[in-house]
Every structure is written in C-alpha cells, then in structure tokens.
Amino acid sequence: MNLIMRQAYYLFFLAGLVILSSCSSSFDPEVRTGATPQLIDGQPDIRISAIGFYDDDKPVLDVDTDIIYNSLIYSSDEGIYEAGVGIQIQVMSVNDNGDGQLVENHSYSIDVEEDDRSIIESTETINVHNRLDIGPGKYEVIVSVTDKSSRKTTRLSSNAVIFDRESGSSDLTHIKILGIDSDSARAPFPLTTYDIPGRVDSLRFQYYITRPETATADMSINMRLIEFESDTLPPRHMSAVQPSTGSIEYRGINYNRSEVLEESNRTLRDESGTILIEYTIPRPVAGNFRFQVMAQTDDNNFRKARDFSSKSDHYPHIETSREMARPLAYLMGGNDYERLMEINDADSLKKAIDSFWYSNIENLDKARRVIELYYTRVEEANKQFSSFKEGWMTDMGMIYVLFGPPNYVERSLDNYFWIYGYNRGDARQVFRFHRTRTDSDSHPFSHYILLRQRFYHSVEYQKRQEWLSGTILDRL
C-alpha cells in the first residue's frame, strides 16, 4: 500500500493557532460558542458538543463528535481509500472544588473505506453520537481521537451539567443547536461548530426546563436572536492606514453593540417535570449571532446562550458567481469592484467575472490555470483563517491568497512574522501580524491584523500584476 497524505490545506506553521477546547474553560459557562478548526497537520480535526438533559425522565449526557474527512491520513490499494480513528470518551465528575473523578470511559474505533479519491479532500464530517446514561451532577467530558496511520491524537474537552430534578427547584439546560437541510432526507443533525455549514438552511434550538410539581409561581421565558456588530468587509489595502484600536476592524466583534432580530416570549403555568422547548429559524445571512434564553420565576433567574456565525451559502467552498466575485477585491480597483458588486443578475455577474479574467490573460489555458489557483487559495484561506468572518477576508487570508504560503514563519507572544524570502532583513518580504484579541471563554478565536506599511503599495501592485498577467504561475 502507498500512503496518501491529504492535501495540505492546513499549514504546519499555524499549529500555534489551535484552540484545544471546544467550549469554555471555566465551569458551566452561560454562553457556549462551539468549536473552531484544529490546524495541526496529521492530527484529526474534530469538534465536540456535550449537553446534559433528561430523556423520558431519565438523566442522560449527549456527546456529539464531528471528524473532518480530509484531516485523516489515507492509504490506497487498487482504488480503495482507507483511514481509521480510535475514539475515547472520558467523563469526569467534578466537585465544587474543581477536583475530578472518572465515572465513564468508552473506547471504540471507526474505519473509513471509499472508492472515490475525493474523500481525501472532503470537508464533510463523520458524525458520531453517544448518549450516556448518567446521574445528575457537574461533568468534564474529554474526547480523544487518534489517527490510526499517523498515531497523532486530538483531544478536546467540554463542561456539562445535568440538574437534579429532585432538588425541588427549577433549572435550565444548555442549548443544543441542530441543522436542517431541506434539500436532503437527512434528519436534523447536531451542530458542534461556531461556523454554521453552508448546506444548512434552517436552525433549530433545543433546550430543557425542569419545574417541580410544587412550583406555584409562573415561569416566564424570553428567547432572543441577537446579531453583534462585526467586521464583514474585505480588509483594507496592505499600504493603507492602520486600523485604530477602537475600530471594528481592530476589534473584530463588538459585543457591546448588538441588535435583537427576533424575540419570543412564553409563560409556563401548569406545566411541570422536564419540558422540551424548540425554536426554529431560517439560517441568517452572514454575521455573528447569539441565541439567548432567559427564564425567570419570582425568586430565580436562569440564562443560557449559544453563539454562532453564518457565512456564505457554500462556505468554505466557492461555487456561485457572487462567491467568485467577492474575492476579486484584491485584484480590482475600488471603482471597478464596486460596479461588479452592484450586478444582481447571476448570469450577468458571471459574464463580468469572465470578462475581467480573460481580458487580462488572453491565453485561455493560462487564464483557466490562474483562475483555478486563485480560488483554490481562497478556499484554503477559508479553511485556515476563518473566525468571525470568512478566512479569505481576514488579513492573513489576504496575504495567503495573493502570496501563497510563506517560506518561514516566526512567532512571538502576540505576533506572527511571515517571511517570503531568504533575507529576513528585507522588509518588503516580511509581513507582521499582531494579535488584537485572544481566544477566551466568550470569544472562540484569536484575531490578528497586518501591520501595514506605506512601502507595501509597490509590493501589492507588483503581485497584482503577476496575477493579471498570468506570470504568477512562474512563481510556483
């Protein structure tokens, strides 16, 4: 057998950007954010969700694990592509002092066997669902996934709570988010990530409330869909003025400025026991959102929330004319780009895109190869650098699309240096990215911006000309 390594969508030098916890590190946070990509070559890219609730009056813990196909190492034999992972799920009971005791330990394996080579590049996921019977309490769930070929392991943890129905008080579970694809016969499926997959056209939020039979006061429930102010535009040019520390470009997301898009209220009067509540919405247009639940009685208040991001319809892939047009911001002049984005008809937009490429590169074969390279880099940037917006729209994504992967990378506490030549002293070949926001309990990713320089104007112009003339192919 010949080992076939998956395409290098994930860059070795980005290992430092990995977020090793899919949820918050503090116990039982009110807000869940979902997982973000793992960027270590050879390690399985996984996302997890762990939520405790009651099923037919029985306490259970739902653990969902997603494993990305193209993060696995495949072997081939006579056109059959095979990979495999070992999965271990450990559940630790956590006391008030933070000490843990192992109460559940499950191990098993999953094998992948396909006759289609595209499995090596697929960004689809293996969905693994485990329902564990377990008593009320506070838990830490640790999921370890080991690639059978590379022997490398990815380990994520999440906190979960199962409230005690016998305590005589009301309570509220964390929120589970399900994706609905109306074009598929597939049932609604759990979503473990911060990014909502493009194939999802509706979202269903599920949570449980428990009310003892002795409850006399009404419980009022308020549900809100909130959109946060965030940076949703392509970055400014490499030679432009640096974003100020108070700007949305610098901050990425401003959690202090938000808008309530939808709101619903419900009152529980006679209901008791464990009550399932569901709320379904169409997938919002691009942005960063929070679904928030607030439940209130005379003497108690409960709050839980689930943050998520919605991106383009086929994210991380580029398929439609609109999706192809947007990344041309790096190659077109400002006025030309504005006119392009004003075209609403899909066929007319596609003709305008073709005209742009083929009027600059007259050799059709060369033009097609340049176009393929450009949008391949756009998709790779989406897979590597996405955060509150699509990866190609970040500063790192802009440099990656235009210049490709750097020759060297150096890192300090809050900075990355991408070096595109062999002379580290040549400032024209060095790009510095400064971290303006680090990942935290309520913010699932770090945010880096390019340190802009006026002399980058000629560097950017030269790179544009290489793309528009097709000579970028000679640089590979």
Side-chain angles (χ1 to χ4, degrees), residues 249-419:
E249 295 168 280
Y250 189 91
R251 302 178 68 176
I253 296 180
N254 184 359
Y255 290 100
N256 295 321
R257 296 190 63 178
S258 61
E259 177 184 1
V260 177
L261 302 182
E262 291 190 25
E263 186 170 12
S264 178
N265 294 290
R266 178 174 174 178
T267 301
L268 301 181
R269 293 188 173 90
D270 300 324
E271 299 94 328
S272 62
T274 304
I275 305 159
L276 169 65
I277 298 181
E278 297 183 322
Y279 192 86
T280 302
I281 62 170
R283 179 171 64 88
V285 296
N288 295 271
F289 305 89
R290 171 173 293 170
F291 181 76
Q292 177 178 279
V293 177
M294 293 179 290
Q296 182 175 357
T297 63
D298 288 344
D299 54 358
N300 279 306
N301 295 295
F302 310 96
R303 175 179 174 269
K304 293 291 189 296
R306 174 62 155 88
D307 287 3
F308 63 95
S309 175
S310 180
K311 295 180 168 65
S312 58
D313 288 344
H314 299 94
Y315 169 86
H317 302 295
I318 304 297
E319 295 187 12
T320 67
S321 298
R322 180 65 54 183
E323 292 165 354
M324 295 180 68
R326 293 168 67 220
L328 294 179
Y330 301 145
L331 300 181
M332 301 182 76
N335 293 334
D336 290 339
Y337 183 72
E338 288 180 6
R339 285 192 290 269
L340 180 72
M341 298 308 294
E342 289 173 355
I343 301 175
N344 294 318
D345 179 70
D347 291 336
S348 300
L349 184 59
K350 180 62 167 62
K351 291 178 181 178
I353 295 170
D354 290 343
S355 176
F356 167 76
W357 283 109
Y358 295 129
S359 64
N360 283 285
I361 308 173
E362 296 181 356
N363 183 293
L364 294 182
D365 178 66
K366 178 182 285 189
R368 292 188 184 102
R369 286 188 289 143
V370 171
I371 293 170
E372 181 180 6
L373 175 63
Y374 192 76
Y375 290 109
T376 295
R377 286 192 182 173
V378 169
E379 291 190 356
E380 289 174 352
N382 278 346
K383 295 165 187 174
Q384 295 175 62
F385 309 115
S386 290
S387 52
F388 54 88
K389 62 180 179 179
E390 295 174 28
W392 73 265
M393 299 173 67
T394 65
D395 281 1
M396 283 185 169
M398 172 179 66
I399 299 300
Y400 183 83
V401 169
L402 290 174
F403 294 84
N407 292 8
Y408 304 99
V409 170
E410 295 179 357
R411 185 187 183 192
S412 62
L413 180 62
D414 287 318
N415 297 282
Y416 271 100
F417 297 87
W418 289 13
I419 304 165

Side-chain angles (χ1 to χ4, degrees), residues 15-130:
L17 290 177
V18 173
I19 297 172
L20 295 178
S21 174
S22 67
C23 298
S24 171
S25 58
S26 62
F27 194 79
D28 194 19
E30 293 181 338
V31 179
R32 291 288 175 96
T33 59
T36 51
Q38 309 302 299
L39 302 176
I40 299 179
D41 191 79
Q43 284 193 203
D45 184 359
I46 70 173
R47 297 89 188 261
I48 71 170
S49 171
I51 296 180
F53 62 96
Y54 280 79
D55 180 30
D56 292 332
D57 296 331
K58 184 178 182 180
V60 296
L61 185 62
D62 266 8
V63 181
D64 293 289
T65 306
D66 289 341
I67 307 169
I68 315 302
Y69 278 110
N70 74 2
S71 69
L72 304 181
I73 305 300
Y74 291 83
S75 62
S76 70
D77 185 18
E78 297 181 354
I80 302 298
Y81 301 90
E82 298 178 331
V85 294
I87 301 175
Q88 181 183 39
I89 299 175
Q90 297 174 299
V91 181
M92 308 289 293
S93 176
V94 181
N95 61 29
D96 292 337
N97 297 324
D99 299 324
Q101 180 180 358
L102 183 65
V103 294
E104 295 279 347
N105 190 2
H106 303 273
S107 298
Y108 53 94
S109 62
I110 293 178
D111 294 317
V112 178
E113 183 177 303
E114 292 286 342
D115 59 3
D116 186 348
R117 194 182 187 282
S118 64
I119 193 68
I120 298 173
E121 303 172 8
S122 174
T123 57
E124 297 299 313
T125 59
I126 305 169
N127 307 114
V128 184
H129 176 73
N130 291 271

